[in-house]
Amino acid sequence: MIMKRLIPLIVCMIFLCGCISINKEKEEQKTPDNYMSGVWVTYSEVNEMLRDGNFKENFNKCLEKCKDMNITDIFIHTRAFCDSLYPSKFFPQNELSAKYDFDVFEYLIEKSHGQGIKVHAWINPYRVKTSDENINNLPENSPIKKLKKDIDYGFCGGIFLLPSSENVKRLITDGIREICENYKIDGIHFDDYFYPTAAESFDKISYENYKSDNDNPLTLGEFRKSHVNSLISSVYTAVKFSNKDLLFSVSPAADINKNKNSYFADIKAWCENGCVDIIIPQLYFGFEYPDEKFRFNNLLEEWKKLAENTDTKLVIGLASYKINTKQEPDNEEWQNGEEIIKRQTEICKNDKKVKGIVYFSYSNI
């Protein structure tokens, strides 16, 4: 029984020690101080390039556009829904990319590097399907078919892998190791999709099973954060063991507290313990947002403080997609959105604590 009480503590110690020991190696690396100017290329944008059978031509045009914009890094959506842009042992391949007689992922990496542009494999770790909870609608070779409901995956207006599952952590880490070992990428990238809901019902059975095995269990929130921390640590370790020069980046939502308390993503702990190389908060707000807390300058200061005195580089995500948006409550300000993006870009470039910018997304630059 004493051992059961110690399990959460042991997990946390492994999380901290594993990250710190690898981070010592990272401190000895000579990391270039080049300023990142990046762009996210979403799964829908990738699919659009694949759909007409002319991927090479379409992607080459994408690269030309990026080169003209002085883009240094592209974040390619490689796994958006528990699938894969390339032939994988663990995930079903994207139906559109599977129709080609060559590896489209390998092609885009080689072509990007030929233009001096780095490639980051962008992954949604937990998302399987949205707007559909029927696993029968998933491909036959989906890993979900081999996992257990309520233990390995749950439902929330869609299908999501449960962060508390050891099978899930292994699956995600194996998939990332597969990319790192088989492709000459420059980094692995997660966005802000962690826990899809804070509702207790989402992982109720998993949490109840945990509590029944522990005399002094963690709260639900701490339980969830400990498992997300465990995945982040596992992924960082897999990335660095594959190639210490590969980068692991995460793009969290703008609200630091919401990340921690609603998505159970403790970004501060990841930065302090050296488990992410780069954070790219999504500061998708203008200068006159009605809630002052979310105005760009205020958010920027909060994130600078969070990354301060850590080895994690701060890069800022900017919302080029909001130019001329009609969505309230800040649609009036964004009618002159090009000027907003220009101002935000200059602010970031002139701030020594900011190491780059990434635009969301390719279609909007």
Side-chain angles (χ1 to χ4, degrees), residues 118-155:
K118 296 177 181 178
V119 177
H120 303 256
W122 170 13
I123 292 166
N124 296 114
Y126 301 121
R127 187 173 65 183
V128 180
K129 199 170 182 65
T130 55
S131 304
D132 185 356
E133 296 186 350
N134 188 350
I135 67 167
N136 293 324
N137 292 333
L138 297 174
E140 283 305 313
N141 59 340
S142 171
I144 301 300
K145 301 291 182 72
K146 298 178 182 179
L147 298 176
K148 295 181 180 179
K149 186 179 73 168
D150 298 325
I151 302 299
D152 299 315
Y153 66 89
F155 305 101

Side-chain angles (χ1 to χ4, degrees), residues 38-39 76 122 148 178 210 225 230 267 299 313 346:
V39 63
I76 295 282
W122 170 13
K148 295 181 180 179
E178 179 182 55
Y210 157 75
K225 281 185 289 186
S230 177
I267 318 296
L299 288 170
K313 291 186 177 181
E346 290 304 316

Side-chain angles (χ1 to χ4, degrees), residues 23 26 248 267-268 270-280 306-315 353 355:
N23 201 46
K26 184 174 68 175
F248 179 38
I267 318 296
K268 191 172 189 293
W270 305 347
C271 294
E272 290 177 344
N273 296 307
C275 287
V276 288
D277 296 301
I278 303 170
I279 49 168
I280 313 174
L306 182 142
E308 197 171 22
N309 299 321
T310 74
D311 290 327
T312 303
K313 291 186 177 181
L314 176 64
V315 173
K353 293 183 178 181
K355 304 304 179 182

Side-chain angles (χ1 to χ4, degrees), residues 4-21:
K4 290 180 179 179
R5 290 199 296 269
L6 288 174
I7 287 174
L9 196 56
I10 293 171
V11 169
C12 291
M13 289 175 67
I14 293 172
F15 168 69
L16 295 175
C17 295
C19 294
I20 291 171
S21 63

Side-chain angles (χ1 to χ4, degrees), residues 62-336:
C62 167
L63 281 183
E64 288 175 13
K65 186 175 182 180
C66 289
K67 195 68 177 176
D68 289 343
M69 295 285 293
N70 295 318
I71 295 297
T72 62
D73 296 68
I74 57 174
F75 295 78
I76 295 282
H77 225 160
T78 310
R79 179 167 305 116
F81 296 98
C82 207
D83 58 356
S84 181
L85 187 59
Y86 59 91
S88 171
K89 294 189 298 183
F90 304 103
F91 301 93
Q93 187 175 359
N94 175 308
E95 290 182 357
L96 294 173
S97 71
K99 293 179 181 179
Y100 286 82
D101 60 0
F102 62 92
D103 189 329
V104 299
F105 191 48
E106 184 175 52
Y107 177 84
L108 70 83
I109 293 170
E110 290 180 356
K111 285 296 180 179
S112 298
H113 287 170
Q115 294 291 331
I117 296 175
K118 296 177 181 178
V119 177
H120 303 256
W122 170 13
I123 292 166
N124 296 114
Y126 301 121
R127 187 173 65 183
V128 180
K129 199 170 182 65
T130 55
S131 304
D132 185 356
E133 296 186 350
N134 188 350
I135 67 167
N136 293 324
N137 292 333
L138 297 174
E140 283 305 313
N141 59 340
S142 171
I144 301 300
K145 301 291 182 72
K146 298 178 182 179
L147 298 176
K148 295 181 180 179
K149 186 179 73 168
D150 298 325
I151 302 299
D152 299 315
Y153 66 89
F155 305 101
C156 176
I159 307 169
F160 297 85
L161 296 170
L162 290 181
S164 57
S165 165
E166 295 303 320
N167 290 328
V168 164
K169 293 174 192 174
R170 190 177 306 112
L171 172 67
I172 295 170
T173 305
D174 284 345
I176 286 166
R177 190 179 294 110
E178 179 182 55
I179 297 174
C180 294
E181 292 177 353
N182 294 338
Y183 295 93
K184 296 179 180 179
I185 57 167
D186 299 283
I188 293 291
H189 178 69
F190 283 1
D191 59 16
D192 59 326
Y193 286 94
F194 292 98
Y195 266 83
T197 177
E200 293 183 7
S201 59
F202 177 65
D203 54 356
K204 183 177 180 180
I205 293 178
S206 178
Y207 183 56
E208 291 297 329
N209 289 343
Y210 157 75
K211 286 199 299 181
S212 68
D213 287 337
N214 289 273
D215 293 335
N216 187 25
L218 298 171
T219 64
L220 178 59
E222 292 300 320
F223 167 80
R224 289 174 169 176
K225 281 185 289 186
S226 72
H227 284 292
V228 175
N229 284 350
S230 177
L231 176 70
I232 294 295
S233 175
S234 176
V235 169
Y236 182 86
T237 301
V239 169
K240 295 302 179 180
F241 279 6
S242 294
N243 182 342
K244 66 178 183 178
D245 294 325
L246 292 181
L247 298 173
F248 179 38
S249 60
V250 179
S251 178
D255 190 331
I256 294 172
N257 290 329
K258 190 171 184 178
N259 282 317
K260 186 174 181 179
N261 300 321
S262 296
Y263 306 142
F264 306 98
D266 192 349
I267 318 296
K268 191 172 189 293
W270 305 347
C271 294
E272 290 177 344
N273 296 307
C275 287
V276 288
D277 296 301
I278 303 170
I279 49 168
I280 313 174
Q282 300 167 12
L283 305 195
Y284 297 166
F285 299 84
F287 298 95
E288 301 173 10
Y289 195 78
D291 185 342
E292 289 189 18
K293 176 184 176 181
F294 289 97
R295 292 179 180 174
F296 179 79
N297 288 332
N298 294 334
L299 288 170
L300 181 59
E301 290 305 312
E302 284 190 7
W303 283 98
K304 283 163 58 178
K305 289 178 183 176
L306 182 142
E308 197 171 22
N309 299 321
T310 74
D311 290 327
T312 303
K313 291 186 177 181
L314 176 64
V315 173
I316 302 301
L318 299 180
S320 54
Y321 78 95
K322 290 188 75 172
I323 294 173
N324 297 324
T325 183
K326 294 181 180 179
Q327 293 183 344
E328 296 182 351
D330 56 348
N331 56 314
E332 289 187 13
E333 181 183 12
W334 282 94
Q335 293 310 302
N336 190 24

